[in-house]
Amino acid sequence: MTSARSPLLPDRHPQKDLFVCDIVDAVPKGDMASMEHPVFTLSTKPDMKPRRYQNGDNSIEVSPSRYGLATVHDRDVLIYCISQCMAALNEGRKVNRSMRFKAHDLLVATNRQTSGQGYQLLKDALRRLQGTQIETNIRQGGKEYFKVFGLIESAEIVRETRDGRMQDVEITLSDWVFDAIENNHVLTLNKQYFFLRKPLERRLYELARKHCGAQPKWKCGLELLRDKCGSGSTTKEFTAINFEDHRG
């Protein structure tokens, strides 16, 4: 005896459990771990060189995909996602690792160009963020990791205009980043951060913000500063660095 066939078609497009980013002028926030440690490359060209950073008991290994390592400017995407989540939590709203936002809103909030090239650069950033693999024992939100993961688990363009511009984007953050959100392991960034042109300038601001936020000064040796910045220069080169021409 066969069972009766349902008169209804199956739900071919079930609603995902999404957090929708819709808070205007959310205060920029960055996770503390990647503000202190060199997760992102300073290079403005495809960086295919794996790197390892060791400071005491803390270690981090970063490996590129075929698109290269995630860059300091790619970090804008994570800052936007973290900022939206923290603003929602402050309003008593529920958030989760998967979120949807308007590409245009992210570009405007992070002071990026909204031309066709701006959308293409955002696509490239999503590829690098998903493809860059990290292995670390650095604690994030009270947890210690001994596994390999990407900065984002996945990214999807939900809608795209005929001229190739994204409208809606869905991102699923890595556990590492989301743990920082859930445990409030984040710091507020000045909105002028997005006006800093050079990767090294942004990186130096992140380090200063992380270490000087609760104390009047922070001392750091030149070699350690170079390593924390993620620079591939020698100490002598780093000392005489030209911000205008630096490529990491």
Side-chain angles (χ1 to χ4, degrees):
M1 182 178 178
T2 58
S3 58
R5 185 180 184 184
S6 171
L8 302 176
L9 291 171
D11 185 358
R12 297 191 176 98
H13 307 286
Q15 289 293 317
K16 297 181 180 179
D17 185 18
L18 286 171
F19 164 60
V20 179
C21 301
D22 59 357
I23 299 175
V24 179
D25 293 330
V27 177
K29 304 276 186 179
D31 70 283
M32 293 184 186
S34 61
M35 289 177 70
E36 180 170 2
H37 305 289
V39 174
F40 300 92
T41 179
L42 297 176
S43 179
T44 55
K45 298 178 181 179
D47 188 346
M48 310 304 295
K49 183 180 179 181
R51 61 188 61 197
R52 176 179 174 82
Y53 167 79
Q54 183 85 36
N55 184 22
D57 294 332
N58 291 329
S59 66
I60 183 168
E61 295 184 26
V62 187
S63 301
S65 69
R66 64 190 181 95
Y67 300 106
L69 294 171
T71 73
V72 168
H73 284 94
D74 295 343
R75 177 182 168 83
D76 291 356
V77 177
L78 295 185
I79 292 174
Y80 181 79
C81 293
I82 293 171
S83 305
Q84 288 286 322
C85 286
M86 295 308 300
L89 289 172
N90 290 335
E91 292 181 354
R93 296 168 55 190
K94 181 181 178 181
V95 300
N96 52 55
R97 291 197 305 131
S98 296
M99 58 188 66
R100 178 181 290 187
F101 56 84
K102 300 290 185 183
H104 182 268
D105 291 346
L106 179 146
L107 296 176
V108 171
T110 56
N111 195 40
R112 285 169 167 252
Q113 55 181 316
T114 56
S115 63
Q117 183 183 10
Y119 287 88
Q120 183 57 51
L121 291 173
L122 178 55
K123 271 188 181 180
D124 294 339
L126 295 175
R127 292 188 181 102
R128 288 188 293 266
L129 288 168
Q130 195 281 327
T132 298
Q133 295 294 295
I134 297 173
E135 184 174 355
T136 182
N137 67 347
I138 294 172
R139 294 179 180 273
Q140 181 82 292
K143 295 184 179 181
E144 189 166 337
Y145 287 80
F146 291 96
K147 66 177 184 179
V148 177
F149 56 90
L151 291 163
I152 61 175
E153 185 175 296
S154 63
E156 178 182 356
I157 300 171
V158 184
R159 299 174 187 168
E160 189 167 1
T161 59
R162 290 182 179 179
D163 62 359
R165 299 189 182 190
M166 291 175 274
Q167 293 183 346
D168 286 5
V169 178
E170 286 184 11
I171 285 181
T172 299
L173 298 173
S174 68
D175 288 333
W176 195 62
V177 174
F178 196 67
D179 283 343
I181 294 170
E182 289 189 308
N183 291 278
N184 197 27
H185 202 219
V186 303
L187 288 174
T188 299
L189 304 175
N190 191 298
K191 289 186 177 182
Q192 294 298 308
Y193 170 85
F194 298 116
F195 291 83
L196 294 175
R197 181 185 301 275
K198 298 301 177 182
L200 182 59
E201 295 172 350
R202 292 189 175 206
R203 186 71 191 118
L204 289 171
Y205 169 80
E206 292 169 4
L207 288 169
R209 177 65 184 92
K210 172 64 175 62
H211 291 283
C212 300
Q215 58 185 353
K217 62 181 179 180
W218 172 61
K219 292 184 178 180
C220 177
L222 185 60
E223 289 188 7
L224 179 57
L225 179 62
R226 178 201 62 189
D227 293 344
K228 279 183 169 292
C229 284
S231 174
S233 305
T234 64
T235 304
K236 183 177 180 180
E237 291 170 340
F238 187 73
T239 304
I241 208 163
N242 184 322
F243 279 37
E244 188 66 27
D245 298 329
H246 181 68
R247 292 296 181 269

